[in-house]
Amino acid sequence: MIAAGVHAFRHEELDLTTGLVIGDDTCLVIDTPVHGEELRRQIRKITAKPWQVVYTHNHFDHCYGTSAFLPCDVWAHENFRFDQEEQAVWARRYRDEGKPEMATAVEESELVAPTKTFAERAEIDLGGRTVVLHHFGPGHSFCDTVIEVPDTATVFAGDLVEHPAFIEESFGDGDITQWPAALERLLALNPDVVVPGHGSPTDKDFVARAREVLIAGWTSTP
Ligand SMILES: [Zn+2]
């Protein structure tokens, strides 16, 4: 738990990190991994409130588990699209890596499209607590969504931030030249806690250093 009603979940596969924000009436699930039913079970141990899901972006590891949460609304940036090839590419990759169970899970994932989209900013009222969705332009992907929980100064950054280091797949289909500007806008939220898309929760100093690394040429880690 990061703060009252704000949780981060670490997943062994790819060191993925997902999130949960609980209001008085409803809760918000931030990203759903392959094997979404495991996250569903974890969340149901914490709260019985109805949920919505938000996608930080469209990469398979962040959005392939949503069918376990249906029926529910699913938020994403208006540019969100599933990459039609990604499912087959990752299934093959897991099979090649000797992980047939993951390969099958990826192949059999039912992709759930967003039902609610936004352009730059959206507020979600969870009852007694409002979360803010931000899009700071393309960076890690073309549809990065940052989720701010203002009452706890917490930000879920998706893969705009990975901690302690960017993983190999980080530099795929976004716009690296605009990534530092997106991080600058994230830092302007002045968060105390930044939850990355992969790895352990960190702080704004780390994000500032990661931004410098990106500007320096994305060749090493902070
Ligand atoms: Zn990603």
Side-chain angles (χ1 to χ4, degrees):
M1 189 167 75
I2 290 167
V6 181
H7 301 258
F9 303 94
R10 307 283 301 277
H11 303 268
E12 192 180 332
E13 185 61 35
L14 296 173
D15 199 13
L16 182 78
T17 306
T18 59
L20 173 69
V21 183
I22 306 170
D24 291 340
D25 303 326
T26 63
C27 63
L28 181 67
V29 177
I30 299 166
D31 282 348
T32 64
V34 178
H35 296 307
E37 64 282 358
E38 289 173 15
L39 179 62
R40 179 197 168 98
R41 272 196 296 274
Q42 274 183 286
I43 291 174
R44 274 296 175 244
K45 286 180 192 164
I46 298 171
T47 179
K49 287 174 182 165
W51 47 45
Q52 303 174 68
V53 168
V54 59
Y55 294 148
T56 60
H57 63 298
N58 63 330
H59 295 159
F60 85 100
D61 43 335
H62 299 264
C63 56
Y64 271 28
T66 304
S67 62
F69 293 84
L70 294 177
C72 67
D73 272 322
V74 179
W75 286 85
H77 184 257
E78 62 183 7
N79 289 345
F80 184 101
R81 300 285 183 279
F82 287 110
D83 176 344
Q84 295 305 327
E85 290 171 18
E86 193 181 23
Q87 198 160 17
V89 165
W90 275 89
R92 198 178 318 123
R93 179 165 165 171
Y94 277 123
R95 204 153 269 128
D96 290 347
E97 288 177 358
K99 295 179 170 175
E101 191 272 337
M102 269 303 291
T104 303
V106 167
E107 253 162 10
E108 293 181 350
S109 290
E110 177 199 335
L111 309 195
V112 178
T115 58
K116 297 196 172 215
T117 60
F118 73 103
E120 288 190 15
R121 188 180 192 279
E123 294 188 355
I124 305 177
D125 180 2
L126 302 177
R129 167 176 261 168
T130 298
V131 297
V132 186
L133 310 185
H134 300 274
H135 176 64
F136 293 144
H140 171 79
S141 76
F142 54 86
C143 58
D144 297 314
T145 294
V146 168
I147 297 96
E148 179 189 16
V149 189
D151 65 281
T152 64
T154 302
V155 159
F156 290 83
D159 284 359
L160 283 171
V161 177
E162 300 183 15
H163 178 246
F166 294 108
I167 59 172
E168 185 188 329
E169 285 77 22
S170 293
F171 309 106
D173 55 355
D175 186 339
I176 283 174
T177 65
Q178 296 194 57
W179 193 333
L183 289 183
E184 194 164 345
R185 293 179 66 185
L186 187 157
L187 288 166
L189 300 175
N190 198 27
D192 290 333
V193 179
V194 178
V195 183
H198 299 267
S200 54
T202 181
D203 58 22
K204 52 181 170 272
D205 294 340
F206 172 82
V207 175
R209 289 199 304 277
R211 182 176 168 276
E212 294 302 320
V213 169
L214 284 169
I215 292 169
W218 16 95
T219 50
S220 60
T221 54

